[in-house]
Amino acid sequence: MSDATEDAATEELVCEGRRERLGDLLAFVDRACARAALDPDVAFDVRLATEEAVTNVIEHGYAGGPAPGPIALRFHHDARQVVVTIDDLAPPFDPTAIRPADPSAPLEQRRIGGLGWHFVTRVMDDVRHEHRHPRGNRLTLVKRLGATD
Amino acid sequence: MDIVVEQRAPTTVVRITGSVDGLTADTLMTTLQQQIDAGNTRLIADLSGVTYTSSAGLRALLATVKQARSAGGDFRLAGVLPPVHKVLEMSGFTTILKLYPDVDGAVASYPA
Amino acid sequence: MSTPTRPRKRVALVIGAGSVKCAAALGLWKVLKREGIAVDMVVGCSGGSLYAALMALGFDAEGSEALTHSLWNRDVTKRRDYASMLGAFLPKLFRFRGHFGMVHGEPLLNALRRGFGDRTFADTVLPLYVVATELVSGQQATLSSGRILDAVRASIAIPYIWSPWEVNGKLMLDGCLSAPLPVDVAIKEGADVILAMGFESPYPRRIRSATSYAFHVNSIYTNNLFRANYSFHNLAHHADILPIVPDFGEPVNLFDTHKFAHVIACGAQAAEEHVPYLRQLLAEPASPGTPSAATPATSR
């Protein structure tokens, strides 16, 4: 089911959006960061944002449906920036607009709506969400290189 | 992620190495929970070998600290590396958890 | 190892930022004394640090009230610090010091000297934690050693009004910049039941001076931070946080020192509402499986 391809500076992994594939998705990001020879701090931020974002798709995007759909994770790297793109076929869902769902729920039981999403926006320089036609979402995470933070 | 549990009276030191993330958080939480259930509520996590954590890892830490405190103990962190510290700080966790530079300091922080 | 048992729940009193409104803590203090409910630690921020320190030093409510009147009056803010302002607005001519305050710090310092002298944290009868904010790093700082005067002066260093204060070699600003209601300190220090007396700052109807503008802006972000932090602390705590938010029925502003009696009465009233539940909480065992029922010790 997974299919990794590689060209000059863009790599892609497509897999099922279920918890069991989180390991593959994270391993893919780790390898891509290593190949790009990213500074460890930058690699940390990229991995963190990617983990939180794909977890979001798995646990929210596909949670309501009968079966999980695919996730396409793309890693692009050039001299100026790292761009991680996450495509899914889940119902329209804008994590940039979500609020903590249930403020009375214990924090450790709440999902990315709170903490995880906070991390994504804190560690990346630019975060964009768009609806794709005819369905699905695209999330674009940008980390600029050489920026102070 | 690897976990080694060591009793250092009056505390229990849980040495964790690797990544505490969505893949490993459940295992960590189970291990820590077992210690609390066994009455070892004065817990210390030696995080000097932990290079990465995400919100999933923090959920495990928070669930543990709340259980340990409810049972009359505490859960303190030792040897937190800078990237992990950054995550703890971003989430406000440094204000509610006690952190020590090393395990010896954390052990000494508990009354004998 | 056997399960550690605790004789009773540890009670923390946290007094948040709120200038004159913080005197409401004295009303709460009176109620706790009357009920014989012991407090194991006090935490204070900004104006709240003043009352936290007095309680920790063993002053009773009446003594604190009397002292409040002599500490807190218009003399404390009357004198403008023109040198500091010139330095801020004409930095080349008058050398900017890296920070400034519009109000001269000397009268404030004299008032604090009357209250605290050279007493240190070691002189307290209850553990005391005073929250300030490091100017350079922006980090919350929890002060628990050294001179109480220094800690309180740092904790009430309202931005733009009073200059920051140096403690342990670091310049410190008002604690309300990082933790207007520092419940987190009580959580970290092992409190079970947390009595959290917090205040939202009223907004003035008219802004007629640079100082009232500065106060207004401070109030906006303090109020917002107060709400955001409080929800996080609630989620993070393993036991009960009792929010004690007095209803003053009217705006209480920074220099409404003639309202002290009213403020204290409102604090007592807010506390009364929590007494039955607090009693119930303290009567429960401290931890699951710990049979020892709580017998609240007599408060000091």
Side-chain angles (χ1 to χ4, degrees):
Chain A
M1 181 72 202
S2 69
D3 168 31
T5 54
E6 187 184 350
D7 61 38
T10 304
E11 300 172 55
E12 187 177 42
L13 171 70
V14 180
C15 71
E16 249 188 316
R18 54 167 76 237
R19 261 187 83 85
E20 292 72 23
R21 303 308 301 268
L22 181 62
D24 296 335
L25 290 158
L26 292 180
F28 167 80
V29 178
D30 283 342
R31 279 197 306 272
C33 288
R35 265 199 288 271
L38 295 182
D39 178 86
D41 289 344
V42 173
F44 184 96
D45 290 349
V46 170
R47 187 194 211 258
L48 179 60
T50 309
E51 177 184 341
E52 303 294 358
V54 299
T55 303
N56 192 34
V57 174
I58 294 168
E59 297 193 350
H60 285 277
Y62 288 131
I71 287 179
L73 177 60
R74 212 164 18 259
F75 180 98
H76 168 85
H77 161 251
D78 60 40
R80 286 178 14 252
Q81 58 186 5
V82 174
V83 181
V84 174
T85 318
I86 298 155
D87 290 345
D88 65 47
L89 294 177
F93 178 76
D94 181 0
T96 60
I98 57 176
R99 295 282 172 269
D102 177 9
S104 65
L107 193 61
E108 64 273 23
Q109 284 167 24
R110 292 200 297 169
R111 294 179 179 169
I112 187 164
L115 206 49
W117 190 253
H118 173 65
F119 290 160
V120 175
T121 55
R122 279 293 297 274
V123 300
M124 300 307 271
D125 295 305
D126 194 10
V127 176
R128 291 191 300 271
H129 171 264
E130 55 201 291
H131 299 296
R132 292 164 67 225
H133 294 289
R135 64 199 177 106
N137 302 274
R138 168 168 292 177
L139 193 64
T140 307
L141 313 173
V142 180
K143 183 81 181 173
R144 279 188 270 282
L145 303 174
T148 44
D149 197 354
Chain B
M1 182 193 66
D2 289 313
I3 308 176
V4 180
V5 180
E6 184 197 348
Q7 303 298 332
R8 272 189 62 182
T11 70
T12 301
V13 179
V14 180
R15 193 165 70 244
I16 308 159
T17 4
S19 291
V20 181
D21 52 26
L23 303 172
T24 58
D26 288 349
T27 311
L28 176 63
M29 196 142 90
T30 310
T31 308
L32 292 164
Q33 172 102 50
Q34 283 165 354
Q35 292 302 318
I36 295 171
D37 291 346
N40 299 331
T41 60
R42 293 169 168 193
L43 287 172
I44 293 165
D46 178 356
L47 298 183
S48 58
V50 173
T51 48
Y52 174 83
T53 192
S54 62
S55 66
L58 292 190
R59 277 193 283 272
L61 298 185
L62 185 63
T64 305
V65 75
K66 287 173 80 168
Q67 283 172 17
R69 284 171 178 168
S70 296
D74 200 4
F75 178 47
R76 301 178 183 175
L77 310 182
V80 179
L81 298 174
V84 173
H85 194 270
K86 180 175 85 171
V87 172
L88 292 173
E89 207 155 55
M90 276 196 290
S91 56
F93 277 45
T94 48
T95 66
I96 55 156
L97 290 170
K98 289 196 170 187
L99 276 63
Y100 298 87
D102 53 37
V103 171
D104 288 346
V107 172
S109 74
Y110 282 99
Chain C
M1 190 165 48
S2 65
T3 310
T5 54
R6 284 191 290 184
R8 60 182 186 82
K9 292 181 179 173
R10 284 166 59 78
V11 180
L13 173 54
V14 181
I15 312 168
S19 66
V20 169
K21 295 187 291 301
C22 300
L26 297 178
L28 167 63
W29 193 234
K30 283 183 194 172
V31 172
L32 294 177
K33 291 253 183 184
R34 188 196 69 211
E35 296 290 322
I37 295 169
V39 167
D40 298 276
M41 66 180 89
V42 277
V43 184
C45 171
S46 197
S49 74
L50 203 62
Y51 296 99
L54 291 172
M55 290 172 188
L57 284 169
F59 282 86
D60 59 14
E62 289 70 24
S64 303
E65 192 177 343
L67 204 56
T68 294
H69 283 286
S70 81
L71 285 177
W72 204 307
N73 54 55
R74 278 202 177 269
D75 295 341
V76 167
T77 56
K78 243 180 9 204
R79 226 172 109 196
R80 293 285 175 270
D81 191 341
Y82 295 107
S84 181
M85 283 193 268
L86 288 171
F89 297 116
L90 299 166
K92 286 205 175 121
L93 268 177
F94 294 95
R95 201 171 67 85
F96 185 55
R97 294 177 295 184
H99 57 80
F100 85 114
M102 292 185 275
V103 175
H104 207 288
E106 199 55 34
L108 172 65
L109 205 59
N110 287 334
L112 293 177
R113 274 197 200 104
R114 286 200 295 278
F116 299 112
D118 279 327
R119 277 185 271 203
T120 71
F121 283 79
D123 299 324
T124 61
V125 294
L126 279 175
L128 167 69
Y129 303 94
V130 170
V131 172
T133 307
E134 284 180 24
L135 174 68
V136 174
S137 68
Q139 292 285 321
Q140 177 178 340
T142 304
L143 307 172
S144 57
S145 65
R147 283 204 306 173
I148 290 174
L149 181 154
D150 289 322
V152 172
R153 171 64 180 83
S155 187
I156 61 178
I158 307 173
Y160 316 120
I161 303 297
W162 279 300
S163 57
W165 191 250
E166 192 175 308
V167 183
N168 304 327
K170 284 180 178 155
L171 282 172
M172 303 269 175
L173 273 173
D174 198 317
C176 74
L177 293 180
S178 55
L181 180 62
V183 167
D184 49 354
V185 175
I187 296 175
K188 199 174 187 172
E189 295 302 330
D192 297 304
V193 175
I194 300 174
L195 306 174
M197 183 168 252
F199 312 93
E200 291 202 28
S201 302
Y203 299 124
R205 269 186 233 101
R206 282 163 301 181
I207 299 174
R208 287 185 295 196
S209 67
T211 43
S212 71
Y213 177 72
F215 278 123
H216 182 78
V217 173
N218 288 338
S219 297
I220 292 173
Y221 50 70
T222 303
N223 286 346
N224 286 316
L225 187 58
F226 170 81
R227 292 175 207 138
N229 279 0
Y230 187 72
S231 56
F232 168 65
H233 295 152
N234 252 304
L235 297 166
H237 191 44
H238 69 280
D240 288 77
I241 303 176
L242 273 61
I244 304 178
V245 183
D247 178 7
F248 299 109
E250 57 186 294
V252 177
N253 292 304
L254 187 72
F255 301 112
D256 291 347
T257 47
H258 59 285
K259 291 181 182 165
F260 268 130
H262 172 66
V263 165
I264 293 170
C266 293
Q269 195 191 332
E272 299 284 5
E273 291 163 16
H274 289 276
V275 167
Y277 183 58
L278 182 56
R279 285 231 154 279
Q280 186 192 328
L281 275 181
L282 295 177
E284 290 165 3
S287 55
T290 308
S292 65
T295 319
T298 318
S299 66
R300 282 181 260 212

